[in-house]
Amino acid sequence: MAQVSNKETVYNFIGGEWTVSSATDSLSIENPATRETLGRVPLSSAADVDAAVAAASRAFPAWRETPAVERARILFRLKELLEENAQEISRSLTLEHGKNLLETRGELQRGIENVEHACGIPTLMMGESLEDIAAGIDCVTYRQPLGVFAAITPYNFPVMIPMWFWPYAVAAGNTFILKPSEQDPLTHQMIVDLSTEAGLPPGVLNVVHGAQETVTALLDHPGIVGISFVGSSQVARLAYAKAAAAGKRVQALGGAKNHMVVMPDADFNITNEALIGSLFGSAGQRCLAGSAVVGVGEAYDKMRERFLDSANSLTIGYGLDEGTEMGPVISKPHKERVLGYIDAGESEGAKLILDGRDATVDSYPEGHWVGPTVFEDVNPSMKLGSEEIFGPVAGLSRVKNVDEAVDLIQQVEYGNATSIFTSSGKAAREFRYKAGISMIGVNVGVAAPMAFFPFGGARGSFYGDLKAQGSDAISFYTDRRVVIERW
Ligand code: NAD
């Protein structure tokens, strides 16, 4: 199995072989807590993408003809192998991403659930039929795979997010190319090796590493029929437009600014725990992380002190160390970006009540630390109140009622997730009805992606129509072919 080790060069995986990229440039991959160099990732060229497309295209006819039950059996074996190797995978993920072991184990589990769901492909891929659609004429639909698909994925869930896509695509009989994030591409290599061990034939799953140039080559490539993208909205928009212009199916999941709405009748213990997990888990680097906390009426004063105390007492540290509740952010540029938002919040007039800018961890002085940070009096006219920060920064605000909370949410361009905390079914229903957001939590801080349900945002958080996971994944990766028969 591929191991995460010092100074490792990352290889592309093409046609079942780990292959040296033709790239002339590479980037360093480092542990964001210790700053140890873990390897170098090549910035693959269009020629590398051509090679991957050629391998995936060669593998497609035989894989498509492999019965769905046999394709599913390979995924059953993969699920077992992922579980057997869970500890090692989670550890590797903590090394290159920074989140703690509980979080990386959770990430892997969510990934495994997609493999489990894709194991149902013989049922999921069934078509429909109607006898005598006209006298003596029958009509049948068959779901057929389309060819070579590709996914481009972000750094924040480098194991789970690729598994939102490729297990469904290959279960359905397509072949696949993954372009993982260049910031933490190591751990997914283990999963590729386990897929080979499970019996996935050469060329069915390919990996090409790189950044912008590699992505452009994938988006434009005539041999690729569809693109699944996850990342910031800025790049999601670009990927959507470019791939659609090249005639491909596209689903592009973008960034987020998620509001947590707290009602006066909420259970404040449960709510506080959920808020802390949502805003500061994974150092705020989740597209489902809460970012704005909206207190309705007297809820604001009831939650403020409790939230502030809990945020202030979180243990920051190295994800492999016992007791670490919050790890570092991914890189120096990202830390600077987050600090920039904190500076902007101050100059825009928000009130800084907990400042994480000077956070340090004694044993790892060079780590990319940002402590929990809390502002109050935040509103959507501020950068702090409207833009995605992707760090452990909370913006508190108060409103009078649910309608004002919904109005505030709708002033922001994103529509990924939101949550309400209440003991009133009426308030929850009203909120769900009006929020206009795709993922809605009720007394839950993270309305997490569940493999059996579709996942993706609204408005500026999603470009496309069929979402990731659930039945949408099967629709995205197949075409329904209609046969009308008279004998
Ligand atoms: P990013 O947009 O910088 O990168 C995502 C992918 O796009 C990477 O593979 C990267 O190599 C590629 N890329 C980056 N810039 C590019 C460019 N100019 N042209 C072509 N390709 C380019 O995102 P990130 O920093 O890796 O991840 C964080 C972002 O992802 C956040 O905005 C977060 O909200 C979002 N995200 C969204 C979801 C979701 O489900 N909606 C899930 C996870 C993360």
Side-chain angles (χ1 to χ4, degrees), residues 67-69 71-72 75-76 112-128 141-145 163-174 450-454 468-481:
V69 282
R71 297 197 301 258
L75 292 173
F76 276 113
I112 290 174
E113 284 162 12
N114 284 281
V115 177
E116 288 171 344
H117 187 203
C119 285
I121 201 68
T123 311
L124 296 170
M125 243 180 117
M126 280 181 184
E128 302 145 317
T141 60
Y142 293 91
R143 284 189 181 273
Q144 294 186 351
M163 288 200 274
W164 287 352
F165 304 114
W166 72 257
Y168 298 101
V170 305
N174 302 286
M450 294 291 153
F452 302 89
F453 287 85
Q469 306 185 138
S471 55
D472 277 23
I474 310 304
S475 296
F476 188 75
Y477 293 123
T478 58
D479 195 27
R480 281 187 291 176
R481 307 254 154 96

Side-chain angles (χ1 to χ4, degrees), residues 153-156 161 179 182 212 230-232 254-255 287 388 390 455:
T153 54
Y155 81 84
N156 65 325
I161 292 180
K179 203 302 282 174
E182 64 279 23
Q212 187 169 353
V230 185
S232 57
C287 69
E388 180 176 48
F390 224 55
F455 174 70

Side-chain angles (χ1 to χ4, degrees), residues 152-157 161 164 179-183 210-213 215-216 219 229-236 238 253-256 285-288 334 388 390 414 416 455-457 461:
I152 297 143
T153 54
Y155 81 84
N156 65 325
F157 285 101
I161 292 180
W164 287 352
K179 203 302 282 174
S181 170
E182 64 279 23
Q183 299 194 73
Q212 187 169 353
E213 184 189 342
V215 173
T216 303
L219 298 175
F229 175 91
V230 185
S232 57
S233 287
Q234 190 193 358
V235 186
L238 181 153
L253 287 73
Q285 299 165 103
R286 295 193 291 213
C287 69
L288 293 169
H334 190 57
E388 180 176 48
F390 224 55
Y414 297 104
N416 212 37
F455 174 70
S461 293

Side-chain angles (χ1 to χ4, degrees), residues 7 42 44 68 93 108 125 208 233 348 416 431 437 442 474 478:
K7 320 286 185 292
S44 298
L93 196 46
L108 176 62
M125 243 180 117
V208 180
S233 287
E348 286 171 316
N416 212 37
F431 183 72
I437 303 292
V442 177
I474 310 304
T478 58

